[in-house]
Amino acid sequence: MTQIPMTPWQGPMIELQEVTKVFGPTRAVDNVSFMVPRGSVFGYIGPNGAGKTTSMRILSTLELPTSGDAFIEGLSSVNDPDRVRHRLGFMPDAFGSYSDTSCAEYLDFFARSNGLVGRERTRRIRWVMDFTGMRSMSEKPMNGLSKGMRQRLCLGRALIHDPSTLILDEPAAGLDPRARIELRQIIRTLAADGKTILISSHILSELAEMCDRVGIIEQGTLLANDTVDGLKGKSKPHQDLIVVVDGEVDSAIEVLNALPSVTDVEHRGQAIHFQTVAGNDNRIQILHQLCDAKIRVLEYRPIDESLEDLFLKVTTGKVQ
């Protein structure tokens, strides 16, 4: 009999539906909902104790919610945990090591735990070693690894069964700059290959570079869920700009101060900082006014808010 191939799941790969988790008097996660489509990278940020790790543990079948549900490829982490684990790779913020275990033995154990056998197990271990740059470390005891190599090994463990979805809890914590760059490149490659990734990090500049969307959580409550550009647009109705002129600073300041849409004009040498109503048409009009006044403009650009700036504006600094 001809076997009909299964249609790939068309809905969100990761979804939280009104998830709440209570520990005694503390609501670690409070009615949180969001979804991540296939092939996207979702950055999950918040202060320590905000509820990030608890949310991730619920998605990863390691914690049961007090109410609500979490889904991986449409499968409930509460009601169908075994099938969820086959589709999911979870990299915790900390993991144990074993003094007499080599890196290859460690990956082999988890390959067997995920049901890989024979040549397929050997192939996957070899692929993970190559992909994470661990081939030369295969026979080295895992407790002798540097922090960066330990993180690569943990990521390799999460990838061993070729999951469609990855949940990475603070993968860059404690890494030196080179190790962070290399880890970021690995994550970008995985996303380009179609993996769906939920990642938390305190290094917000890196998340801004690699994430399609970010969610900001504080005291268990999801405060924002948008693209970085979308968050910038919501954070304020005005825009900060800088114009650098060749001489004629006073004349440029006079032109800017005469425009009703321009405020807070300051100059630092030949650079003039000011604010204006957000919008490309308004920015173009200001540039035309400067050029019409024969001001020689060397540079004209917006001053973008960083993800750190947005995080500080959205959160209040409260902890549970």
Side-chain angles (χ1 to χ4, degrees), residues 99-110:
S99 57
D100 298 324
T101 304
S102 70
C103 296
E105 289 169 339
Y106 181 78
L107 291 175
D108 182 72
F109 172 81
F110 282 98

Side-chain angles (χ1 to χ4, degrees), residues 44-50 52 170 201-202 204 215-218 311 315:
Y44 204 29
I45 62 178
N48 291 329
K52 303 186 300 298
E170 298 287 349
S201 178
H202 286 130
L204 304 188
I216 300 177
I217 186 171
E218 186 176 41
F311 178 77
T315 60

Side-chain angles (χ1 to χ4, degrees), residues 230-251:
L231 289 174
K232 290 176 182 178
K234 293 175 182 177
S235 67
K236 59 183 182 180
H238 63 266
Q239 188 170 42
D240 297 305
L241 291 107
I242 182 172
V243 59
V244 180
V245 300
D246 182 13
E248 306 294 334
V249 173
D250 292 338
S251 298

Side-chain angles (χ1 to χ4, degrees), residues 20-23 57-58 61-67 77-79:
T20 294
K21 180 64 179 180
V22 177
F23 295 103
R57 286 178 60 83
I58 290 170
T61 77
L62 301 176
E63 200 85 59
L64 288 173
T66 304
S67 63
S77 296
V78 175
N79 299 319

Side-chain angles (χ1 to χ4, degrees), residues 242-253 256 269-272 290 295-300:
I242 182 172
V243 59
V244 180
V245 300
D246 182 13
E248 306 294 334
V249 173
D250 292 338
S251 298
I253 291 174
L256 292 170
Q270 299 299 115
I272 305 170
L290 290 167
I295 306 296
R296 291 174 291 182
V297 176
L298 301 177
E299 183 179 355
Y300 182 65

Side-chain angles (χ1 to χ4, degrees), residues 93-166:
D93 58 347
F95 70 106
S97 63
Y98 307 93
S99 57
D100 298 324
T101 304
S102 70
C103 296
E105 289 169 339
Y106 181 78
L107 291 175
D108 182 72
F109 172 81
F110 282 98
R112 292 172 185 268
S113 299
N114 282 281
L116 299 177
V117 297
R119 291 180 179 177
E120 176 63 11
R121 184 175 74 244
T122 302
R123 186 186 69 82
R124 284 302 301 172
I125 293 171
R126 185 180 297 117
W127 182 89
V128 164
M129 284 285 192
D130 288 339
F131 181 74
T132 58
M134 295 287 295
R135 174 60 72 89
S136 63
M137 303 282 182
S138 61
E139 300 306 317
K140 186 170 183 176
M142 61 178 299
N143 65 341
L145 297 176
S146 67
K147 174 69 174 179
M149 285 300 174
R150 281 173 57 84
Q151 292 297 84
R152 285 172 181 250
L153 183 62
C154 189
L155 178 60
R157 184 189 75 179
L159 289 168
I160 197 68
H161 57 300
D162 195 20
S164 60
T165 303
L166 292 168

Side-chain angles (χ1 to χ4, degrees), residues 237-239 241 276-286:
H238 63 266
Q239 188 170 42
L241 291 107
T276 185
V277 177
N280 289 335
D281 290 344
N282 191 48
R283 285 167 51 189
I284 293 170
Q285 183 183 18
I286 292 170

Side-chain angles (χ1 to χ4, degrees), residues 194-213:
K195 302 291 187 190
T196 305
I197 301 172
L198 172 63
I199 178 172
S200 69
S201 178
H202 286 130
I203 306 170
L204 304 188
S205 58
E206 294 187 348
L207 287 184
E209 292 180 15
M210 74 175 80
C211 292
D212 300 295
R213 296 180 71 88

